[in-house]
Structures are given as structure tokens and as C-alpha cells.
Amino acid sequence: PGRASPLRLARPTDLADEPHRLRDAVPLLVECLPERLPGAGRILVFRCGYGLVPALALARYPGASVVATDRDLLGTELTRRNAVWAGDRLRVVESAFLAGVREHAPFDLILGELSPPLGSMATLVELEEARGMLAPGGVALVLGLAKQWRELLAGAAERLGIAKRGARGAAALYSIDPKSLTASSG
């Protein structure tokens, strides 16, 4: 097949986003997306913002369905507008917590972004919830800051099955793979 046409989004991102997000973080995530989706192709995007990552996932995986969630009502409305072309392949859920989308689990791929203002304990709980919503053979890719590895995540890596997948500038990509729990605890 030919080259995919570029996404045209009404508003791809919040103007208050950190400058590294579009320059470093999102391209790093796109480079690390799996070639093919395992399972039924069910994707969760948490902290979907204005819909850039859900739109990228929908375009990358034409047979997939995406559940996108965020606590920001403006963000979820813009997610709907930015991916209106996806039709019923996209479900947008307004929720302050990942537990708000648990009824749609399990997911073959989870994409998300850490929020430093959330705090250490809440971040670890959120990552544990994400891991718990993965289907067998699924994986989570979560964007964050590179400094979060040394400040928080390295100490919880074995317990959560999380690894630093790559970094670019201030951005880092973390993966959660439940298989690593079996390997490291068995």
C-alpha cells in the first residue's frame, strides 16, 4: 500500500503543552508502536488530551477500536472532533480515573501519558491499574519525563513490570509488559 495521508486535526494539542511533547515525546511513541496489534485490537488511550494519540492509533491500526479517556471535558470533546472520521471505532469516556474505563477492558495495547502533578503514589496506582487492564500478550506504552525513571519508576520497576523503553530530550517512553512479572518473580 501507498503512504498514509497525514492526519488533519482541528486542534492537535493544548497550547499549554510542554514544548518537548510534540517535538520529542509523541514521535518517540510512534516509533515504538508495535507493527501489529495482538489479540482483537482493542486499544486504551488514557490522558487522551485533544485526541492526537487516539487519532494516531486509529490511523495506524485500521481494524482496531480505541477507548480514549481523560478528565478534561474540553479535551474529550476535541478528541471526538479530531477523530470523527473513525466512527464507532472510537469511544470517548470522561473519567478522572482509569477505573472509569475498566468495564471496557481488557486491552491489547494501552497508550498513555504520566502526569507529574498527580503525585508519586497516585502515579504508581495508575500504572498498576493500567497493567491490570492488559489482555494476555498485551503491552502498555506510557510517555513521561526521563527524570521520572530515577525519581520514581526504577524503584517500582520489578513490581510493576515496567521498563524504560527509550528517551529523547526530556521525554521518556516506558513499557509495561506483564510477562516480565512472571519472568522476574518465577
Side-chain angles (χ1 to χ4, degrees), residues 6-83:
L7 291 174
R8 289 183 181 28
L9 305 175
R11 186 169 172 188
T13 188
D14 184 345
L15 298 176
D17 274 348
E18 295 292 329
H20 72 273
R21 184 172 182 269
L22 288 178
R23 182 188 66 233
D24 299 326
V26 174
L28 179 61
L29 174 66
V30 170
E31 289 170 15
C32 292
L33 287 172
E35 193 64 34
R36 289 181 182 51
L37 279 177
R42 295 177 41 82
I43 302 171
L44 168 65
V45 180
F46 69 93
R47 282 214 185 71
C48 68
Y50 288 10
L52 176 60
V53 174
L56 288 168
L58 287 160
R60 173 76 177 254
Y61 306 112
S65 63
V66 172
V67 174
T69 186
D70 203 302
R71 68 184 311 146
D72 178 3
L73 298 178
L74 176 60
T76 55
E77 179 56 30
L78 283 164
T79 296
R80 287 181 184 93
R81 289 182 189 186
N82 280 328

Side-chain angles (χ1 to χ4, degrees), residues 131-148:
R131 189 192 74 213
M133 286 191 255
L134 282 168
V139 67
L141 299 173
V142 183
L143 288 169
L145 296 173
K147 69 181 185 175
Q148 286 174 299

Side-chain angles (χ1 to χ4, degrees), residues 113-140:
E113 296 188 50
L114 298 179
S115 173
L118 190 60
S120 299
M121 292 307 294
T123 296
L124 294 175
V125 167
E126 187 171 68
L127 290 170
E128 198 160 1
E129 287 178 339
R131 189 192 74 213
M133 286 191 255
L134 282 168
V139 67

